[in-house]
């Protein structure tokens, strides 16, 4: 399929019953839907929820995202209103490997480049909120009377970049004016606890409370020190205010998509924001959503934990098993996965 | 003046002769104007340019921004079409000191909070482009055959945060998998050379060329190594593509404002983007713009350098001299500047 | 026993058939015996060798050193000429815990304080030789054309001090004049490979060859880089020249003792120098020597490795098993080891 | 003069009226004289003191040491008993540049190699005492309740090695078990304040008191923290006990020499120990001593400060001015100093 033409995002919104005045546009083809919309719709019954997960992941990719997009488009073709909800791509992997997280083939979402780059700034906001807490922590270590053990600080810094030179660093050097020396490191923003919290929070109040409970360090007496102790959670919530609103885009068949939040599945729960899924359940008959990594990791986490926090039930599960992935687990090398090999699959 | 009501940004655009279709909205009250608009208007004669500068800066502030905004509003009241062009505020100072860079009293621009926080993501884009170059530099130091002296790297990392603990750091620690150990440091994004370049570039091609000429390090043979040598400039330009477009907002009297680019005046040229000023000159009769720091720093740089790069002439200069600033330079302490003191002014 | 009176070291030497002119005195009660003495005595048959080892070590100490000293004194009382050979104590543990390595009760060696402090400077010499190699390695990293991967340097620095703050450090900071930044760390001198080599070398030539084979780092092409590649072994051997000569002292019963070399048993072979043991075998009928840690570590290493390098046979083994140690391994706490507890021993 | 033959150090001692029993030998040709000898001789009148200093130092060397040695030998030839007192050479410069500090030509001291290498271990003892204080400081920072600002620690570590990679380091890395991260650096042992103190102390009590007054850091409340506060001075004094005793050697004409203590002249007082000079004044008619650097630095310090602390008067000053040094200051390059050049000297 060549040159897919996106429709104005207001058109997509209207199909969902959202008036243009309720959308916050970011260019012509992207809009945020204020999460407060959930309140208006709270008495509307939820649609059905289909979870897409997969067998053990492989370097070749198993196709969860394309399956999710395609499945949702299929529902729409069948006349069943469906929204697919997906995670936001990290900039880091985007710059490293061609592709990003916008699907492939005939199962893509638009506008691809914008989604893969800065999008609506959610990940920038997560990064800023994360690093504000880091800066306030180092300022407290230097100036406040809070008892913080500089060797027991567990809150890293964050950057939306694959930058191995920042994994393990020493900060606070350069003499007395520059803070207190200590070991530190950057995580990629998708691995930030702020990202995980953003994707679990029900509303701004819940967000702020969850932020305040982040443990950032331990005192010399081994007591935990939280973001709340440093009075950082309020300013962090201000920085995350807009990022709470789900991002609406469309597939190449102009069906609606929420792309919102992107925590990693290995260290967090690996699925898009609870708010986006909840809103989608109010706005359509069937919501297709995806959990990162394999069924035993992202899938389990979704069923055991995310669905409970979100207050929704999973009505169906799709488990993606590709021939390539079967071959890979059967011992075939990555660059030979395209060759037919029945033995490896058995 | 209470509760100023902004008009839809499309209304402001239409006053300037820009159709809604040509605007890229970021919410209801902010829009980017594609810089390519300059091409369409290239045969239109420029308006007049008024530069607002000031006596030596003081902690009390002299009032350059409020003077600029007020002056432009006054022109509009007089029936003379005027745009004021300003710098984007840094997040760091915003979180530190209340206020930001949106003026004060009756000389404010709207929407204040959005402008002072993430706005249209320009500074996030500058930060990302800056740090992409940093990451590619460390990757080259680790993996490439480019001869880079690890003790002669002059390209720092950047963050839009006042974070003194990051001023002087050691990166690349944690063993062989994590890069090459070296001394490094973060600058605030407004002090990044990428910000300066963004504000001087005429178009994407010029931007890319300027980026490619950034000197990031020296080889052991003392030869300069550039962003172009590391093949980083292309990806950096992609990250900066949207940030090239000026941001249109409005004053509380609904007169048009461009807020675009925010380099520091002490280490760079301290004024908004050349593209924003050039576009404003095509779209209005009188453009009021502001140069950071005092007349001898930002003012000089504007007259000697920025106006030449931008290809425009300064038709008038306003030099702000406040009583507070005069008193301060007369030796009065910061917290006594509000008291009448004729002697200190003489 | 109170106020043991040491005899002049020349008297002890004469008992062994060494004339005062052949001794190198360090004060009145300590002397080095030139290791070249071995050549003169090479046709004299060796005495018998008794190895003292122990069950698994415990914090209470098992008593290997006092057993070794006492056993050798007993041989002498029985009219059988005997020398006990022991390791030199590290300064670090000495400053930390009272006692040192000069025995206890009636099984002590003299002069205690001198032996436990600087003694004849052997450990200082090991430290100097070790750190000369470190300095030459960093100089090569900075100035030479030898291909050294700064993240694959395995040669630490050394200090005769228990100093945990030096275990993991970053060196080469402070800008281009101060070397190349890299991760490093100090080991205690007794854990230096130089100490192990000093204790295995047969003569200066062998010492120099062994030093030249030390692997200090790997190149970016993963080839090993040796002290010989850096041309450091010659100067190291000069620094170790005097340290090659065994140190002669006496027990409180004025029987002869060689205290020479002190490698750790866990990371090296944990016994005194091969030269001291060989010389003792030429000078007496029964040599008692001690191997560090338990029978399964220091004992095994002595039998499998040290005795082969040294060219001597072990004629008898004493295995020390104390009630305290048995109780400790039976689960009794350290501060209750003095209490009778038959159950714990079963 | 070829193959100078040193006499036994006991012979040199006897010429000074010191019995062999009062000497502490380090091999055949070096001995320490117990500084308590000063008490026995306290009623004996002092000899005369001649200070050798020089014009501004140059890379070529001016010849202060050879002049001092030669002058003292000349006094002895004339039948006037004379001792020359000199500083101990650092190992660092010795390994770097051939030569050391034992004179040259016919004005040498013996045994050259031993003096230039470990000698009697004084510098090792200074290094150990220095680093013991460093280790106790870091232990206090980690474990004690003493309020120490980790960014206001001014006590470095020390090594007797020219090792530029250790000039600026970060210590205490590797996690909570390894201390508190902070910036640090090594100085060469000759630049240690411990060396300066050793050379100024009158006796062990004075040494201990001076050590206790060393300021090592400041508290967060900006109060100084001393070695005494850390209870380190006692153990330091124990390590320095033997180093307090002057080292007796001889010239190639077998006249007596004290080589004792070696502080740098630029950062300390640059002359041998006060104890050695005082003892020499009791033991001979004319003592020749040398002050490091030029007359305006080491010379001034000797006259204004060292002689007052030591309680002795300078009876004569020799100022060395060489043609080479005059030429160098006249602008002649280092490698052309051997060429006759009258113009440069004028």
């Amino acid at each position: 399929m060549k040159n897919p033409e996106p429709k104005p995002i207001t058109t997509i919104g209207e199909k969902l019953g959202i008036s243009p005045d309720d959308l916050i546009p970011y260019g012509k083809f992207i809009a945020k839907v204020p999460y407060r919309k959930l309140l208006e719709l709270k008495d509307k019954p939820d649609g059905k929820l289909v979870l897409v997960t997969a067998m053990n992941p492989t370097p070749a990719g198993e196709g969860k995202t394309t399956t999710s997009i395609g499945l949702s488009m299929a529902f729409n073709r069948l006349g069943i209103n469906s929204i697919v909800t997906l995670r936001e791509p990290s900039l880091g992997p985007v710059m490293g490997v061609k592709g990003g997280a916008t699907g492939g083939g005939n199962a893509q979402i638009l506008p691809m480049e914008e989604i893969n780059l800065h999008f609506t700034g959610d990940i920038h906001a997560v990064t800023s909120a994360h690093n504000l807490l880091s800066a306030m922590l180092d300022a407290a270590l230097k100036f406040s009377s809070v008892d913080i053990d500089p060797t027991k600080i567990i809150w890293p810094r964050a950057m939306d970049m694959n930058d191995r030179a920042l994994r393990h660093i020493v900060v606070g050097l350069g003499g007395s004016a520059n803070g207190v020396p200590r070991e530190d490191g950057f995580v990629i923003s998708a691995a930030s606890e702020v990202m995980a919290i953003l994707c679990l929070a029900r509303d701004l109040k819940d967000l702020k409370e969850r932020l305040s409970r982040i443990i950032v360090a331990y005192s010399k007496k081994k007591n935990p020190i939280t973001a709340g102790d440093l009075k950082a959670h309020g300013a962090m919530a201000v920085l995350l205010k807009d990022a709470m609103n789900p991002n609406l885009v469309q597939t190449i068949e102009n069906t609606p998509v929420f792309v919102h939040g992107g925590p990693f599945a290995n260290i967090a729960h690996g699925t898009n924001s609870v708010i986006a899924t909840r809103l989608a359940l109010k706005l359509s008959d069937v919501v297709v959503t995806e959990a990162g990594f394999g069924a035993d990791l992202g899938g389990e986490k979704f069923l055991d934990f995310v669905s409970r926090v979100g207050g929704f039930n999973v009505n169906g599960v799709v488990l993606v098993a590709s021939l390539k992935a079967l071959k890979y687990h059967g011992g075939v090398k990555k660059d030979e996965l395209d060759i037919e090999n029945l033995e490896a699959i058995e």
Side-chain angles (χ1 to χ4, degrees), chain A:
Chain A
M1 178 164 180
K2 298 277 173 58
N3 298 323
E5 269 304 310
K7 292 187 182 166
I9 198 64
T10 46
T11 308
I12 308 297
E14 276 167 355
K15 281 204 283 189
L16 295 173
I18 306 172
S19 87
D21 279 355
D22 278 354
L23 289 180
I24 308 162
Y26 284 73
K28 303 262 178 303
F29 305 111
I30 300 170
K32 279 188 168 288
V33 184
Y35 80 88
R36 280 169 253 112
K37 198 81 193 166
L38 268 173
L39 275 184
E40 290 175 30
L41 301 169
K42 70 172 190 296
D43 298 327
K44 198 166 174 267
D46 281 4
K48 303 289 183 193
L49 179 59
V50 177
L51 173 68
V52 176
T53 179
M55 55 182 294
N56 263 7
T58 67
E62 303 72 50
K64 288 191 299 288
T65 303
T66 46
T67 300
S68 302
I69 296 170
L71 182 60
S72 181
M73 291 195 304
F75 278 119
N76 278 291
R77 279 203 197 181
L78 294 171
I80 301 164
N81 289 327
S82 173
I83 299 176
V84 59
T85 65
L86 299 170
R87 283 175 294 165
E88 297 187 47
S90 288
L91 193 56
V94 168
M95 300 309 296
V97 189
K98 272 269 184 287
T102 49
N106 281 332
Q108 287 186 45
I109 59 174
L110 303 172
M112 204 164 60
E113 189 176 297
E114 283 76 2
I115 295 172
N116 278 329
L117 290 178
H118 310 291
F119 202 22
T120 59
D122 293 345
I123 298 184
H124 289 316
V126 165
T127 308
S128 293
H130 184 117
N131 289 328
L132 177 65
L133 178 52
S134 305
M136 290 180 78
L137 175 56
D138 272 297
L141 183 64
K142 177 77 186 172
F143 295 112
S144 84
S145 60
V146 179
D147 164 23
I148 302 170
D149 184 338
T151 67
K152 297 266 182 61
I153 291 175
I154 58 173
W155 186 251
R157 282 175 163 86
M159 191 180 278
D160 189 25
M161 188 77 68
N162 275 340
D163 191 340
R164 65 174 63 216
L166 293 181
R167 280 186 200 160
H168 188 178
I169 66 177
V170 176
V171 303
L173 303 178
S176 189
N178 283 5
V180 176
R182 64 180 190 88
E183 292 182 272
D184 197 0
F186 276 76
V187 295
I188 193 163
S189 302
S192 165
E193 193 174 334
V194 175
M195 177 61 91
I197 287 174
L198 178 75
C199 289
L200 292 177
R202 293 171 156 265
D203 50 36
L204 263 179
K205 186 162 166 288
D206 185 32
L207 176 79
K208 212 167 147 179
E209 280 171 12
R210 286 175 181 271
L211 292 172
S212 78
R213 293 198 301 267
I214 294 173
I215 295 177
V216 294
Y218 292 87
S219 71
K220 285 173 188 163
K221 291 171 183 159
K222 298 181 197 299
N223 296 317
I225 296 159
T226 65
D229 293 333
L230 301 176
K231 305 203 190 320
H233 54 299
M236 291 171 77
V238 168
L239 286 168
L240 292 168
K241 193 171 47 78
D242 295 337
M244 286 285 281
N245 299 320
N247 307 299
L248 180 63
V249 291
Q250 61 192 287
T251 66
I252 58 173
E253 293 188 355
N254 311 119
T255 68
V257 185
F258 279 140
V259 177
H260 190 223
F264 277 171
N266 46 355
I267 49 93
H269 54 280
T271 196
N272 61 266
S273 77
V274 158
I275 282 181
T277 302
R278 285 173 65 214
L279 189 58
L281 287 168
K282 294 298 181 196
L283 294 170
S284 71
D285 297 329
V286 179
V287 174
V288 182
T289 194
E290 175 197 349
F293 273 66
D296 56 338
L297 188 59
E300 283 279 335
K301 283 177 179 176
F302 194 94
L303 294 167
D304 296 348
F305 171 64
V306 177
S307 62
R308 292 179 196 189
V309 170
F312 37 70
N313 294 311
V314 174
N315 302 95
V317 172
V318 173
L319 196 147
V320 179
S322 71
L323 282 177
K324 278 189 190 177
L326 287 169
K327 284 185 209 164
Y328 186 84
H329 290 304
V332 175
K333 285 178 187 162
K334 194 184 163 187
D335 49 4
E336 295 171 4
L337 294 176
D338 285 332
I339 305 167
E340 187 176 302
N341 186 337
L342 288 177
E343 237 174 272
I345 296 173
E346 278 175 13

